[in-house]
Amino acid sequence: MKLWSTDGQCAELLLKHGANIHLPSEDSGETALHVAAKHGLYDHAHLYLRHGADVDARSTRGETALGLVCRQAPDAAEDALQLCRLLVVRGAKLDARDELRRSPLHEACGAANNVLVRFLLRRGADVNAIDYNGISPLGCVLQAAAFKQELRPHLVVQLLLNYGSQKIWPHAFAKVLVLVGAGGVEAGWAMGGLTQHGCMGV
């Protein structure tokens, strides 16, 4: 019996009648916990974990529930943060990699979600993790900056630099900060050691 209900009482009833908490979907290989994480359903995730759900179960793409939560946009940051805390307390691996070697921190940076980035970094996520394309978390937020300016990606850049991110692509870095506004550039100079010529300080 599969467990995909978005209704909390219904999900609990299904579990009581033998629904398989570990059964993945045929197409994506996602478990009930993956679905709860993807949709930000904290109560469901808590229920599934209490019934023994594998916190680090992998989809066919190698995705964990934590990685899926970290894709949430900043407008859902507080709900996503609560869910991230739950998963980490239950033992979720901070640096679990998917099939593209992307970590939850890569995902949070790609979404320009500074709340989740801060959470992951404070708990020891690898700030210089590299995916199969050679992209670090800093690279992810720089790629996203040009079309996510309203999300203030420079805040994520500041966090990454403060936690020891390698300072890559110095000229491109300054140009991207220009895209997010003068405030972002000034913050970049202050937090990341940029000079006003667009080069990294030593």
Side-chain angles (χ1 to χ4, degrees), residues 34 37 55-59 62-69 93 96 98 104:
H34 283 103
V55 72
D56 282 323
R58 303 296 184 117
S59 70
E63 300 158 320
T64 64
L66 183 60
L68 292 175
V69 172
K93 296 178 181 176
D98 63 19

Side-chain angles (χ1 to χ4, degrees), residues 13-202:
L13 185 62
L14 288 170
L15 284 169
K16 287 181 179 179
H17 285 80
N20 187 346
I21 198 73
H22 305 292
L23 188 64
S25 65
E26 294 181 3
D27 53 347
S28 65
E30 293 180 348
T31 65
L33 185 60
H34 283 103
V35 176
K38 186 184 296 185
H39 296 287
L41 302 174
Y42 176 90
D43 290 340
H44 286 71
H46 189 267
L47 173 67
Y48 301 151
L49 289 167
R50 281 198 295 108
H51 281 80
D54 180 359
V55 72
D56 282 323
R58 303 296 184 117
S59 70
T60 55
R61 295 182 178 181
E63 300 158 320
T64 64
L66 183 60
L68 292 175
V69 172
C70 288
R71 293 179 182 174
Q72 299 295 319
D75 59 0
E78 290 307 318
D79 290 339
L81 178 60
Q82 186 181 24
L83 188 44
C84 278
R85 283 177 176 153
L86 172 66
L87 294 170
V88 171
V89 165
R90 292 302 184 108
K93 296 178 181 176
L94 286 173
D95 292 314
R97 305 294 193 94
D98 63 19
E99 66 179 6
L100 297 178
R101 300 291 296 163
R102 290 172 65 90
S103 68
L105 184 59
H106 280 97
E107 301 292 356
C109 288
N113 193 324
N114 70 90
V115 172
L116 297 186
V117 169
R118 183 182 295 108
F119 170 81
L120 294 169
L121 290 172
R122 283 179 174 175
R123 280 152 184 80
D126 184 357
V127 70
N128 290 309
I130 300 297
D131 68 13
Y132 271 141
N133 294 315
I135 305 298
S136 68
L138 179 59
C140 284
V141 70
L142 293 181
Q143 289 177 339
F147 54 90
K148 292 185 178 178
Q149 297 177 40
E150 73 283 0
L151 302 183
R152 305 175 71 193
H154 66 279
L155 297 178
V156 173
V157 172
Q158 291 173 10
L159 283 167
L160 294 171
L161 293 174
N162 286 344
Y163 277 85
S165 177
Q166 294 178 3
K167 301 170 184 178
I168 57 173
W169 309 333
H171 299 294
F173 185 86
K175 291 177 182 178
V176 170
L177 288 179
V178 169
L179 291 173
V180 299
V185 174
E186 291 168 3
W189 290 335
M191 307 302 289
L194 282 172
T195 71
Q196 296 211 12
H197 298 292
C199 296
M200 292 295 176
V202 178

